[in-house]
Amino acid sequence: MRYSDPKQHLRVRFKVEKNNIFDTVLPIIIKWLEEMRTKGFVNYYCFDPYNPEIERYGGEQSYKIAEDLFFCDSLIVSEWIQINRSGNVNIDEVTFGVFNILQLLKLFNLNIEEQMTWLEINTKPQKYANKFRGKKSTLIELADLIYTNKKLDKYNKISSIIEIREKTAITYSKSIENNPDFLIKNIIMSVIHMHCNRLYGINRDKENLVIGLAYHTIKNYNNALKYNNVLIPN
């Protein structure tokens, strides 16, 4: 995760056995950090205990699954950043963010009306209407891939890393389904916010942009299907 309190920094979590942390794992991490500091990538580092926000993510059992989801999401973003830096990706970071938001909303089992309502209350969609028009055909195509469960053949360079998140998100969604509705919506908001933080850093403007574009994408896709008397599949 990326933070800026007080200076910009990364918080990296390591899951290790307690018996191995001091004798095996910690020396390896310190050696790597010192190498990064020598190269100028790291100015300062420290180690703190991890205090999980268990209740925020649905309770003790659900949180364990949430951690697996966070790991999958971190892997997806880190892999995409690496591919993007190599110049071998055929989808820009804004479109990629919209894709991930749409997929996460679907995996959390929200129907189309619930998805649109959630997106609308978390941004100001009209602010991004013009930007949507410039990406409309690409975003509608991605929406069709998501809602019809088609393979991402055109985006095969990222499809393999996207698929690893699906089963975990579905499992997590089932584990929190008995929580109050307001808590479920807050959980979804946190998951999507954390994804945007991993992908864009601390950039609320870009986060609002991709949420706004996601809203227009679903709305236009749904309207197109209604025009042709087709319903978005669950």
Side-chain angles (χ1 to χ4, degrees), residues 17 32 50 86 128-129 134 163 208 211:
E17 296 293 334
W32 173 71
Y50 172 43
S86 69
Y128 308 104
E163 290 172 2
N208 287 333
I211 291 175

Side-chain angles (χ1 to χ4, degrees), residues 67-105:
E67 287 184 321
D68 291 337
L69 179 60
F70 300 153
F71 170 73
C72 290
D73 197 59
S74 293
L75 181 59
I76 286 170
V77 172
S78 61
E79 288 291 330
W80 184 86
I81 290 173
Q82 183 176 356
I83 294 171
N84 185 51
R85 286 177 177 172
S86 69
N88 293 321
V89 68
N90 49 9
I91 180 173
D92 65 85
E93 66 173 11
V94 170
T95 304
F96 187 59
V98 174
F99 170 86
N100 282 288
I101 289 174
L102 294 180
Q103 191 196 48
L104 284 168
L105 289 174

